[in-house]
Amino acid sequence: MMEDLLTMTGELPALLVRLLISLGIGFLIGLEREYAKRALDKEEQFAGVRTYTLISLFGFLASFLADRHGEGVFIAALCGFIAIVIASYVMTAKAGNYGITTELSAIITFLLGSVVFEGNILFAVIITVILTSLLSLKLPLHRFITSLTAQDIRAFIQFVIISAVVLPFLPDDDFGPYDVWNLRNIWTMVIVVTGISLAGYLLSKILGGRRGTLLAGIVGGLVSSTAVTLSFARRAREHPSGSRMVAAVAIVAASVILYPRILLETWLVNRPLAQHMALPIAFITVVGLVTTFLMHRRPGGTTLEEVPLTNPLNFGVAVQFALAYMAVLWLIAFASEHYSAQGLYAAGLIFGATDMDAITLSVARKAIPEQNTEAVTAILLATLSNTAMKYMIVVFFGDGALRKAVGIGFAALFIAGALGIATMRLF
């Protein structure tokens, strides 16, 4: 008896910390539920701040007792609590309220109290953040669902097919010239690119298309900076009375976000290379964002303008990217074999104008630590080529006023990119 008391006394500080965390989790979930039901929905809720805190405490104590008296205690407590939740739901359903979100969140809160007692604190906190985020995003999620089209649903299904159905059946063997091709690796890169583009498209759906030109351009850049450039250049020519600064802000903002995107893609396949390129990418991004913000503050730059975006994902686009990626892999292997670093730079300039994702991922896949400087130089040269190509789109499809406005932003990006290359190679 004395030994048990001493053991429990030694465990008491850690137990109290877990108890406080459990109570905090219940309080946070209850706070969101009470605010949502009372302030927003004007409804009576199944449970509020105090009740959710007690529910988490209930789960914590159930696990505490089960640890000392057997698992049957926890099972009995969980079943009894579920019975209470069911009874409450039956009563609310009779009043015409058939939603079950609050009841399910209560059961999850009970389980979170148990998870905290077991010592899985970080996992419990992550689940709490996910739960409260989903609960608080009710209206944006409903707006997002209503904004979906049949084409969007097909795109989601295609992404599942691309990522979960096709990939496991592809062979993991090298083949082709220089053994540079591997179907599983190639398709993994397809999933990375389409996933990032799809995430940007979903974000634009959730935020809405009229959240300000600067933010809309940034979100559009996650999908396709080239598409944003072409769309606004055409719009500027078709609507001469529209603000050129609005279009310029959207185009430059979409081009700036290309840099964090390629850093993310590099980090996913080659973290040492991503660390090596983080400083020049950060410098270019900051210069671009500051320039875009100053353009945004100029007269006419703050006008709300919807960025037209289409769902970037379909099976045909995925196959096209896979073929482009294979071509870049072969060209880089060929250039490296015969022309060393100069061949790699030439490949960056050529393919950067047409497909930044393909050149970024192919260089990142093949780069070794001793070649990090050359690899980053090739990727940054590709971004300069890509910027020049997008300015040519503005020249051909826009008008003189838009060319001047976009030229200011692109010049800042170009100078920052050149400085980033020069500084990195010097040091």
Side-chain angles (χ1 to χ4, degrees):
M1 186 69 167
M2 183 61 68
E3 291 180 359
D4 292 341
L5 181 61
L6 290 174
T7 301
M8 185 173 179
T9 303
E11 295 176 350
L12 188 59
L15 191 64
L16 288 176
V17 170
R18 288 186 234 166
L19 175 62
L20 291 174
I21 294 172
S22 176
L23 294 174
I25 286 174
F27 180 86
L28 180 62
I29 298 173
L31 186 67
E32 192 286 328
R33 284 290 77 197
E34 184 158 347
Y35 173 77
K37 288 297 182 180
R38 287 188 184 274
L40 299 181
D41 297 339
K42 309 296 182 182
E43 297 176 359
E44 288 296 326
Q45 74 276 15
F46 160 72
V49 172
R50 292 181 303 166
T51 305
Y52 270 93
T53 306
L54 291 174
I55 289 171
S56 181
L57 176 60
F58 186 16
F60 185 91
L61 291 176
S63 288
F64 175 81
L65 294 174
D67 186 58
R68 284 155 176 75
H69 304 290
E71 296 178 355
V73 176
F74 180 80
I75 294 173
L78 178 59
C79 291
F81 179 66
I82 291 176
I84 295 173
V85 172
I86 292 174
S88 173
Y89 176 75
V90 170
M91 294 177 63
T92 56
K94 288 181 179 179
N97 184 3
Y98 298 103
I100 199 173
T101 304
T102 300
E103 287 76 10
L104 287 177
S105 63
I107 295 174
I108 295 174
T109 303
F110 176 93
L111 296 174
L112 285 173
S114 175
V115 170
V116 171
F117 172 80
E118 296 295 334
N120 300 307
I121 296 173
L122 179 60
F123 178 70
V125 171
I126 292 172
I127 297 298
T128 302
V129 171
I130 294 173
L131 177 61
T132 52
S133 298
L134 287 174
L135 293 174
S136 61
L137 289 174
K138 176 182 177 180
L139 293 179
L141 286 175
H142 285 181
R143 285 196 300 268
F144 163 69
I145 292 171
T146 56
S147 69
L148 294 178
T149 64
Q151 181 186 5
D152 295 336
I153 300 300
R154 287 194 298 271
F156 299 148
I157 295 172
Q158 287 175 345
F159 184 73
V160 172
I161 294 173
I162 288 171
S163 57
V165 178
V166 175
L167 183 63
F169 295 97
L170 294 176
D172 189 14
D173 301 314
D174 298 332
F175 70 99
Y178 307 103
D179 285 333
V180 296
W181 295 333
N182 181 300
L183 288 181
R184 179 164 293 188
N185 289 338
I186 290 169
W187 207 249
T188 300
M189 297 304 102
V190 171
I191 294 171
V192 169
V193 172
T194 54
I196 293 173
S197 297
L198 188 60
Y201 177 74
L202 295 179
L203 185 59
S204 71
K205 286 276 188 176
I206 293 173
L207 295 177
R210 299 178 64 85
R211 288 293 182 124
T213 308
L214 180 59
L215 178 59
I218 289 173
V219 174
L222 289 174
V223 182
S224 173
S225 59
T226 303
V228 172
T229 302
L230 179 59
S231 176
F232 272 96
R234 284 175 172 171
R235 181 179 296 187
R237 175 164 289 184
E238 293 169 359
H239 303 281
S241 60
S243 172
R244 295 300 179 269
M245 190 54 64
V246 169
V249 167
I251 291 171
V252 177
S255 300
V256 171
I257 206 64
L258 170 69
Y259 293 90
R261 174 177 173 138
I262 63 176
L263 181 61
L264 173 61
E265 291 176 349
T266 305
W267 183 82
L268 290 174
V269 299
N270 190 335
R271 294 187 183 182
L273 180 61
Q275 294 171 354
H276 195 77
M277 69 188 298
L279 188 58
I281 290 292
F283 170 69
I284 299 169
T285 303
V286 169
V287 170
L289 287 176
V290 171
T291 303
T292 309
F293 180 74
L294 293 176
M295 294 171 62
H296 180 66
R297 296 295 299 271
R298 292 182 63 181
T302 59
T303 306
L304 290 179
E305 185 85 8
E306 185 172 356
V307 176
L309 295 174
T310 57
N311 197 311
L313 194 149
N314 62 64
F315 198 78
V317 171
V319 172
Q320 289 173 17
F321 171 79
L323 294 175
Y325 179 64
M326 292 175 68
V328 175
L329 285 176
W330 173 81
L331 180 61
I332 287 177
F334 176 80
S336 300
E337 178 79 14
H338 296 280
Y339 304 103
S340 188
Q342 287 70 28
L344 185 63
Y345 302 155
L349 288 170
I350 293 170
F351 279 92
T354 57
D355 199 327
M356 273 303 306
D357 294 321
I359 187 66
T360 299
L361 291 171
S362 57
V363 170
R365 289 282 302 180
K366 292 298 180 181
I368 59 176
E370 292 77 13
Q371 298 175 335
N372 277 347
T373 299
E374 289 78 9
V376 175
T377 300
I379 293 174
L380 292 180
L381 285 173
T383 64
L384 297 182
S385 177
N386 188 265
T387 301
M389 181 273 298
K390 281 184 287 196
Y391 189 68
M392 293 304 297
I393 291 176
V394 173
V395 170
F396 283 109
F397 293 97
D399 58 15
L402 182 63
R403 287 196 291 270
K404 181 179 179 181
V406 172
I408 297 172
F410 277 4
L413 284 177
F414 209 94
I415 293 171
L419 288 174
I421 294 174
T423 304
M424 182 190 60
R425 295 188 66 81
L426 285 175
F427 298 100

